[in-house]
Amino acid sequence: MTEHALLTSEVHRELRVRTDRAPELGDAVMCCITVPDEFRRVQDEYPILFRRSAERDEFMALAMFGFENGENLFLEGGRWDARYVPLAVDIQPFLIGAPAPGGETAQVHVDLASPRIAEGGEGTRVFDEQGRPTPYLETIAGQLGALDAGYRGSAEFFAALRRYDLLEPLTLEVTLDDGSTNRLVGFHVIDEAKLQALEPAAVAELHGEGHLMPIFMAVASISKLGALIARKNRRLGHG
């Protein structure tokens, strides 16, 4: 259940947000949406896989945190054990709202039903005592803008992948140290064979459109599957 509201200093002057990390704060997720603009930062920590949306018959890119629903192997004792947290996670509980009537700039909204909404004087202030945005809110606004721009620009990226048929299904079966098996099904990855076989003109076109670098970043990210498996084995070893 959500309760979205336009964020204003008049109504939300005393609003505080919990910025620590815990399952009860909504961090127990196996993946989140990522956009091509942040693939370079995401691939340094997480595998990037693709999944088709059944509702819209469109692909989306996902940063992977675990192997099953509700599993986030990067949660460690109240912190996120990685140098970069994907934008779609880091902005919570805020989101981009539609511009005001007659305006062009998107507005910041907040989910007041989020478990990140703090009570009793805890958490990080969103506005200062004079009603001005705090550095925390300014950072969030920048992240929201980056995510919104990246999401809108991703349509051309996925159109290019479809044009050259560069996605292939992935089924990954992992046998863990305790003998159990984890499987990832329903995901896609960049088809490296087709990528390598592209004609020079196609490669030049992808580069000119700005798609070649995120494609390479998505390919590079697959090496992080081994690190994710190692995290899973450590978690199992610690009970």
Side-chain angles (χ1 to χ4, degrees):
M1 185 130 182
T2 59
E3 185 184 343
H4 295 175
L6 175 65
L7 182 70
T8 68
S9 60
E10 292 79 14
V11 177
H12 306 111
R13 178 77 59 91
E14 302 302 321
L15 184 68
R16 292 174 180 263
V17 173
R18 289 188 59 179
T19 57
D20 52 322
R21 298 291 173 183
E24 61 268 21
L25 297 178
D27 293 320
V29 290
M30 73 174 288
C31 61
C32 79
I33 289 176
T34 181
V35 294
D37 286 353
E38 68 169 341
F39 279 9
R40 180 187 289 271
R41 288 165 290 176
V42 169
Q43 66 84 31
D44 199 38
E45 301 282 351
Y46 317 98
I48 298 170
L49 303 183
F50 301 91
R51 171 172 273 175
R52 191 192 303 271
S53 167
E55 298 81 12
R56 307 172 78 177
D57 194 29
E58 296 175 351
F59 278 99
M60 66 183 76
L62 300 169
M64 305 300 299
F65 312 139
F67 293 96
E68 53 191 305
N69 290 334
E71 178 180 71
N72 185 342
L73 298 169
F74 291 87
L75 285 183
E76 297 282 351
R79 68 187 183 91
W80 192 290
D81 184 32
R83 290 164 293 183
Y84 179 74
V85 179
L87 291 172
V89 171
D90 216 24
I91 61 170
Q92 300 299 323
F94 301 97
L95 59 154
I96 285 284
E104 297 181 356
T105 304
Q107 301 179 98
V108 177
H109 285 221
V110 60
D111 179 8
L112 296 173
S114 168
R116 292 202 166 276
I117 302 301
E119 299 179 357
E122 298 180 350
T124 301
R125 288 193 68 123
V126 176
F127 296 101
D128 65 18
E129 294 180 355
Q130 285 73 45
R132 297 171 300 198
T134 61
Y136 166 68
L137 180 56
E138 290 176 346
T139 297
I140 289 292
Q143 291 175 313
L144 285 168
L147 184 61
D148 184 52
Y151 182 76
R152 287 186 283 106
S154 66
E156 294 182 359
F157 174 76
F158 286 112
L161 296 186
R162 288 194 299 271
R163 185 162 65 247
Y164 293 107
D165 193 24
L166 288 177
L167 289 176
E168 65 173 343
L170 167 74
T171 297
L172 178 68
E173 186 168 295
V174 177
T175 301
L176 300 166
D177 289 350
D178 68 350
S180 63
T181 299
N182 274 202
R183 302 179 76 238
L184 284 177
V185 296
F187 295 94
H188 288 68
V189 294
I190 300 294
D191 187 326
E192 295 186 46
K194 289 183 179 177
L195 179 63
Q196 293 173 0
L198 287 176
E199 296 292 334
V203 174
E205 179 183 273
L206 289 170
H207 174 66
E209 294 174 347
H211 304 318
L212 199 57
M213 182 60 73
I215 287 173
F216 285 154
M217 293 297 101
V219 170
S221 78
I222 299 304
S223 67
K224 294 298 183 294
L225 279 170
L228 196 64
I229 293 168
R231 283 181 178 271
K232 178 74 170 183
N233 280 322
R234 288 198 299 272
R235 186 69 58 89
L236 291 171
H238 294 155

